[in-house]
PDB file of all heavy atoms in Angstrom:
ATOM      1  N   GLU A1265     131.376 -77.287  96.667  1.00 95.00           N
ATOM      2  CA  GLU A1265     130.092 -76.666  96.371  1.00 95.00           C
ATOM      3  C   GLU A1265     128.964 -77.685  96.503  1.00 95.00           C
ATOM      4  O   GLU A1265     129.139 -78.862  96.183  1.00 95.00           O
ATOM      5  CB  GLU A1265     130.084 -76.065  94.966  1.00 95.00           C
ATOM      6  CG  GLU A1265     131.017 -74.871  94.819  1.00 95.00           C
ATOM      7  CD  GLU A1265     130.891 -74.202  93.454  1.00 95.00           C
ATOM      8  OE1 GLU A1265     130.185 -74.767  92.571  1.00 95.00           O
ATOM      9  OE2 GLU A1265     131.485 -73.123  93.264  1.00 95.00           O
ATOM     10  N   TYR A1266     127.825 -77.202  96.963  1.00 96.00           N
ATOM     11  CA  TYR A1266     126.650 -78.052  97.148  1.00 96.00           C
ATOM     12  C   TYR A1266     125.494 -77.422  96.383  1.00 96.00           C
ATOM     13  O   TYR A1266     125.068 -76.304  96.683  1.00 96.00           O
ATOM     14  CB  TYR A1266     126.329 -78.186  98.643  1.00 96.00           C
ATOM     15  CG  TYR A1266     127.466 -78.786  99.429  1.00 96.00           C
ATOM     16  CD1 TYR A1266     128.456 -77.982  99.974  1.00 96.00           C
ATOM     17  CD2 TYR A1266     127.570 -80.169  99.587  1.00 96.00           C
ATOM     18  CE1 TYR A1266     129.518 -78.527 100.676  1.00 96.00           C
ATOM     19  CE2 TYR A1266     128.629 -80.727 100.293  1.00 96.00           C
ATOM     20  CZ  TYR A1266     129.600 -79.901 100.830  1.00 96.00           C
ATOM     21  OH  TYR A1266     130.658 -80.452 101.524  1.00 96.00           O
ATOM     22  N   ARG A1267     125.027 -78.170  95.380  1.00 94.00           N
ATOM     23  CA  ARG A1267     124.038 -77.634  94.451  1.00 94.00           C
ATOM     24  C   ARG A1267     122.802 -78.528  94.392  1.00 94.00           C
ATOM     25  O   ARG A1267     122.867 -79.720  94.702  1.00 94.00           O
ATOM     26  CB  ARG A1267     124.632 -77.538  93.043  1.00 94.00           C
ATOM     27  CG  ARG A1267     125.779 -76.531  92.904  1.00 94.00           C
ATOM     28  CD  ARG A1267     126.473 -76.686  91.568  1.00 94.00           C
ATOM     29  NE  ARG A1267     127.442 -75.625  91.326  1.00 94.00           N
ATOM     30  CZ  ARG A1267     127.227 -74.590  90.513  1.00 94.00           C
ATOM     31  NH1 ARG A1267     126.063 -74.509  89.855  1.00 94.00           N
ATOM     32  NH2 ARG A1267     128.135 -73.670  90.334  1.00 94.00           N
ATOM     33  N   PRO A1268     121.676 -77.948  93.988  1.00 94.00           N
ATOM     34  CA  PRO A1268     120.471 -78.757  93.801  1.00 94.00           C
ATOM     35  C   PRO A1268     120.594 -79.641  92.566  1.00 94.00           C
ATOM     36  O   PRO A1268     121.495 -79.455  91.742  1.00 94.00           O
ATOM     37  CB  PRO A1268     119.367 -77.711  93.617  1.00 94.00           C
ATOM     38  CG  PRO A1268     120.081 -76.533  93.039  1.00 94.00           C
ATOM     39  CD  PRO A1268     121.453 -76.536  93.676  1.00 94.00           C
ATOM     40  N   ILE A1269     119.708 -80.609  92.462  1.00 93.00           N
ATOM     41  CA  ILE A1269     119.694 -81.519  91.321  1.00 93.00           C
ATOM     42  C   ILE A1269     118.377 -81.356  90.577  1.00 93.00           C
ATOM     43  O   ILE A1269     117.296 -81.364  91.184  1.00 93.00           O
ATOM     44  CB  ILE A1269     119.868 -82.985  91.775  1.00 93.00           C
ATOM     45  CG1 ILE A1269     121.230 -83.161  92.461  1.00 93.00           C
ATOM     46  CG2 ILE A1269     119.734 -83.938  90.587  1.00 93.00           C
ATOM     47  CD1 ILE A1269     121.448 -84.548  93.029  1.00 93.00           C
ATOM     48  N   TRP A1270     118.489 -81.209  89.286  1.00 90.00           N
ATOM     49  CA  TRP A1270     117.315 -81.063  88.427  1.00 90.00           C
ATOM     50  C   TRP A1270     117.141 -82.306  87.569  1.00 90.00           C
ATOM     51  O   TRP A1270     118.116 -82.954  87.205  1.00 90.00           O
ATOM     52  CB  TRP A1270     117.470 -79.845  87.519  1.00 90.00           C
ATOM     53  CG  TRP A1270     117.423 -78.547  88.240  1.00 90.00           C
ATOM     54  CD1 TRP A1270     118.463 -77.904  88.842  1.00 90.00           C
ATOM     55  CD2 TRP A1270     116.277 -77.732  88.438  1.00 90.00           C
ATOM     56  NE1 TRP A1270     118.047 -76.736  89.404  1.00 90.00           N
ATOM     57  CE2 TRP A1270     116.700 -76.600  89.171  1.00 90.00           C
ATOM     58  CE3 TRP A1270     114.931 -77.837  88.072  1.00 90.00           C
ATOM     59  CZ2 TRP A1270     115.825 -75.593  89.537  1.00 90.00           C
ATOM     60  CZ3 TRP A1270     114.061 -76.829  88.426  1.00 90.00           C
ATOM     61  CH2 TRP A1270     114.509 -75.723  89.154  1.00 90.00           C
ATOM     62  N   GLU A1271     115.920 -82.610  87.251  1.00 85.00           N
ATOM     63  CA  GLU A1271     115.612 -83.721  86.347  1.00 85.00           C
ATOM     64  C   GLU A1271     115.416 -83.159  84.952  1.00 85.00           C
ATOM     65  O   GLU A1271     114.490 -82.394  84.687  1.00 85.00           O
ATOM     66  CB  GLU A1271     114.329 -84.431  86.805  1.00 85.00           C
ATOM     67  CG  GLU A1271     113.928 -85.597  85.925  1.00 85.00           C
ATOM     68  CD  GLU A1271     114.996 -86.670  85.878  1.00 85.00           C
ATOM     69  OE1 GLU A1271     115.232 -87.320  86.902  1.00 85.00           O
ATOM     70  OE2 GLU A1271     115.619 -86.808  84.804  1.00 85.00           O
ATOM     71  N   GLU A1272     116.331 -83.525  84.061  1.00 70.00           N
ATOM     72  CA  GLU A1272     116.283 -82.973  82.718  1.00 70.00           C
ATOM     73  C   GLU A1272     115.694 -83.933  81.701  1.00 70.00           C
ATOM     74  O   GLU A1272     115.339 -83.525  80.592  1.00 70.00           O
ATOM     75  CB  GLU A1272     117.701 -82.595  82.259  1.00 70.00           C
ATOM     76  CG  GLU A1272     118.358 -81.571  83.165  1.00 70.00           C
ATOM     77  CD  GLU A1272     119.700 -81.128  82.635  1.00 70.00           C
ATOM     78  OE1 GLU A1272     119.756 -80.649  81.487  1.00 70.00           O
ATOM     79  OE2 GLU A1272     120.693 -81.295  83.360  1.00 70.00           O
ATOM     80  N   SER A1273     115.617 -85.210  82.053  1.00 53.00           N
ATOM     81  CA  SER A1273     115.121 -86.192  81.086  1.00 53.00           C
ATOM     82  C   SER A1273     113.622 -86.080  80.935  1.00 53.00           C
ATOM     83  O   SER A1273     112.908 -85.668  81.827  1.00 53.00           O
ATOM     84  CB  SER A1273     115.486 -87.610  81.532  1.00 53.00           C
ATOM     85  OG  SER A1273     114.888 -87.891  82.776  1.00 53.00           O
ATOM     86  N   LYS A1274     113.124 -86.488  79.765  1.00 53.00           N
ATOM     87  CA  LYS A1274     111.702 -86.503  79.482  1.00 53.00           C
ATOM     88  C   LYS A1274     111.237 -87.934  79.333  1.00 53.00           C
ATOM     89  O   LYS A1274     112.026 -88.833  79.060  1.00 53.00           O
ATOM     90  CB  LYS A1274     111.394 -85.727  78.197  1.00 53.00           C
ATOM     91  CG  LYS A1274     111.757 -84.251  78.284  1.00 53.00           C
ATOM     92  CD  LYS A1274     111.389 -83.532  77.004  1.00 53.00           C
ATOM     93  CE  LYS A1274     111.728 -82.046  77.093  1.00 53.00           C
ATOM     94  NZ  LYS A1274     111.355 -81.344  75.840  1.00 53.00           N
TER      95      LYS A1274
END
Side-chain angles (χ1 to χ4, degrees):
E1265 292 186 352
Y1266 301 89
R1267 294 169 172 257
I1269 298 176
W1270 291 86
E1271 180 60 68
E1272 301 185 57
S1273 61
K1274 297 182 179 180

